[in-house]
Amino acid sequence: MKFRKIVLMALPLAVAASSCTRHAGESESRTKLYNNATDVDSEGFSFFKSVHKKATFEVGLANYVQSSPASAEAKKLAAGIVETYEPIIAELEDMGASFHVILPDPGVPAFAVPHHFAADSLGGFDSKGYIAHAQHEQGAILEQFNRIDRNTSKVLKTYAKEKLPAVKEVFALAGGHEEHGAHH
């Protein structure tokens, strides 16, 4: 009877221990993906996810604005956003892969123009609303670049230093003003 109890108690432990072992042919990176493990700290992970998401949306919206009846100022801003962020999106995806961060997130729906930015039936477009939106979003992206500029990862710090001037330029183009000495 005691032997049977010992076997019944040991069986769950044996099953649990065997499920934690790596099987032949299973790569370390695959294991990391299943465990949501990355080679970057939480601040770096947030940087990748939020900047990629915002940049992708902003490029999609900017492409729409360029083909809409928007003002010349809105179209100029949209062109600057596309020019700045299209390469950044691709770079973030490549760099994210090296840190085991999956970009874009699986299952994210394709870009769709938000109803408040769609041109109305009279062919009008809210250019001022778009510029205000772009200024807010560029400020959020700039904040992420400023934060990652102080990250422990030398790769991310170097990348931020390289891209900050262009991100600041787009923020200024949107009418944003950076507060000197303020840390976001």
Side-chain angles (χ1 to χ4, degrees):
M1 187 67 140
K2 285 184 180 183
F3 179 72
R4 184 176 175 182
K5 282 184 181 180
I6 291 172
V7 170
L8 289 175
M9 289 173 51
L11 186 60
L13 293 173
V15 170
S18 69
S19 67
C20 294
T21 59
R22 187 174 300 162
H23 302 286
E26 186 176 20
S27 70
E28 182 180 333
S29 64
R30 185 173 176 184
T31 302
K32 284 184 173 207
L33 294 178
Y34 286 133
N35 293 329
N36 293 324
T38 65
D39 288 336
V40 69
D41 61 12
S42 60
E43 191 172 72
F45 184 81
S46 292
F47 168 77
F48 278 117
K49 292 295 187 171
S50 66
V51 171
H52 186 271
K53 182 179 179 183
K54 286 184 180 299
T56 302
F57 179 83
E58 292 305 310
V59 166
L61 184 57
N63 282 326
Y64 171 77
V65 169
Q66 288 181 308
S67 66
S68 74
S71 69
E73 182 183 8
K75 287 185 178 198
K76 180 180 178 185
L77 172 58
I81 287 172
V82 170
E83 181 181 329
T84 301
Y85 290 112
E86 271 188 342
I88 287 177
I89 291 168
E91 292 164 359
L92 287 174
E93 289 173 1
D94 289 344
M95 199 175 1
S98 71
F99 284 103
H100 302 289
V101 178
I102 300 171
L103 296 172
D105 282 328
V108 171
F111 173 79
V113 177
H115 65 85
H116 56 279
F117 285 119
D120 62 25
S121 60
L122 301 174
F125 180 80
D126 182 9
S127 293
K128 287 184 181 181
Y130 169 70
I131 293 169
H133 162 83
Q135 180 181 351
H136 178 267
E137 295 303 308
Q138 299 317 303
I141 292 171
L142 178 59
E143 179 180 334
Q144 286 292 320
F145 271 92
N146 281 329
R147 290 181 76 181
I148 210 67
D149 185 33
R150 298 182 302 271
N151 192 271
T152 57
S153 168
K154 289 181 181 181
V155 172
L156 291 178
K157 283 195 302 193
T158 301
Y159 184 73
K161 284 181 185 359
E162 178 185 314
K163 298 300 176 183
L164 259 170
V167 172
K168 286 179 180 180
E169 187 178 314
V170 172
F171 181 58
L173 188 60
H177 302 287
E178 210 178 350
E179 295 177 24
H180 296 287
H183 293 281
H184 300 280

